[in-house]
Structures are given as structure tokens and as C-alpha cells.
Amino acid sequence: MPYVESGMLLAAWPDLLDPNFMHRVVLICQHRPEGAFGLVTNQRTEVTLGDLFPDHEGLAGADFPVFCGGPVDASSLHFVHRAPDEITGGLLISEGLWLGGELDSLAGFVGKHGLSAYDRLRVFVGYSGWGAGQLDLELIAGSWVPAPPSVERTFAEPGESAWRLVVRSVDSGDLSQQPPDASWN
């Protein structure tokens, strides 16, 4: 069974047709015997931070993009970044990558850098979650292609190209060229 730890990326196997995960990349934030928690890194939404926090002094009107982290608890907010000196209170999940932090630090960072912060910050609503042993079973079944941690691939441009980039990082064959359903060939 593939070993998965915090910071690793999981690319959905090409025939994973669940619309929540088809050609998606998940950043694993935590993987323990009692379950796993991750964030889909390549599914941008039309929502902005300003939409989510219209009354927050530092975030109201912020035109910063928000991603769909997964199908679980769409009312939850998460963020990953590579700016620990400016966004305080985050937890290191792998070299160069932090999860969360203080909301006011996030607001200050976005206020200072605006959209230029996009290559150092991703904000998510919802998350991807697995119960005890569930992710391990999905890995054994071949539902996911595990890839080593990579800050660059975590912050790749969203969409299918990010999925292909992650798959190519671990498979030099034609796996990254496969459509979601083999019958599409």
C-alpha cells in the first residue's frame, strides 16, 4: 500500500468518475489511523473572500479567489500558504507549506499583496475527508495516484492541467493523457 503523509498530493485515478474528484488533486493535510483530511487544490470557484466576509474590516471587498476544498462541510474555511512570516499561527504540514493561521493575519496579507498573493496563498471552502482506514482502502483499490509533497504543484494553476502536472511527476507514461473515462477513447 502506498504510504501517504501530510503534504503529499493525491491525483484522482483517470477513471475516478465521482464529480467531486474527477481529475482533481488533493493536498493531504493530515493522515492518521482515525482518518484523513485534505483539500482539493485545483477547483477554483467564482466566490471571493469578499463574498465570504462582507462585514470583516480587512476582507470586505477582497477580490481574492476561493477554491472548493472538497464536498465535506461547505461552511468551513481553510487556507494553505507559504508566508509564515506574514500569516501567523499556521501549522507546518510539509517543508515550505503551512495550514491555516490567524484570520486577521490572512486579511492583512491579502490587503497588502492583493491578487499578487495568489502564488503563496490558497483559500478553500469545504474539505475532503476520509474515515478510519477509508483512504488506505481507496489507495489499495487504485483510486489515487500519490505524489510527493511539492509547493509548486500545490500552487499550480487550477483545472485539469494541475492534475496532469501531478500525475506526470510520478508517471512518465501516458497516464496523464488519459480521459476521465476509458470509453471516451
Side-chain angles (χ1 to χ4, degrees):
M1 172 179 60
Y3 176 71
V4 174
E5 62 184 18
S6 296
M8 290 184 76
L9 297 168
L10 300 180
W13 191 258
D15 64 357
L16 184 61
L17 300 179
D18 179 333
N20 295 304
F21 298 109
M22 186 185 317
H23 277 192
R24 298 288 184 240
V25 175
V26 177
L27 168 67
I28 296 298
C29 299
Q30 184 179 74
H31 185 217
R32 296 184 175 166
E34 54 271 13
F37 159 74
L39 298 165
V40 173
T41 64
N42 65 329
Q43 186 178 7
R44 188 171 166 173
T45 70
E46 297 297 319
V47 176
T48 67
L49 270 175
D51 295 333
L52 295 178
F53 295 97
D55 300 323
H56 188 279
E57 183 178 327
L59 294 174
D63 194 28
F64 198 83
V66 174
F67 286 68
C68 177
V72 181
D73 193 7
S75 67
S76 64
L77 179 83
H78 309 276
F79 54 97
V80 296
H81 61 90
R82 51 181 173 175
D85 295 337
E86 296 184 73
I87 302 175
T88 58
L91 301 170
L92 181 67
I93 57 173
S94 70
E95 186 177 336
L97 191 62
W98 283 261
L99 173 66
E102 297 172 7
L103 187 62
D104 288 338
S105 289
L106 171 70
F109 183 74
V110 170
K112 178 179 178 182
H113 300 285
L115 290 176
S116 69
Y118 185 70
D119 67 338
R120 295 183 290 156
L121 171 68
R122 289 290 195 271
V123 179
F124 305 89
V125 290
Y127 64 92
S128 302
W130 295 265
Q134 183 181 2
L135 179 55
D136 297 326
L137 291 174
E138 290 181 14
L139 287 162
I140 291 168
S143 297
W144 299 100
V145 177
S150 168
V151 173
E152 290 74 26
R153 287 188 294 271
T154 298
F155 287 92
E157 280 301 309
E160 190 173 312
S161 63
W163 175 85
R164 293 189 189 287
L165 182 67
V166 170
V167 171
R168 279 194 302 268
S169 75
V170 293
D171 179 80
S172 60
D174 64 350
L175 181 62
S176 69
Q177 299 306 314
Q178 297 298 314
D181 185 339
S183 68
W184 295 2
N185 281 330

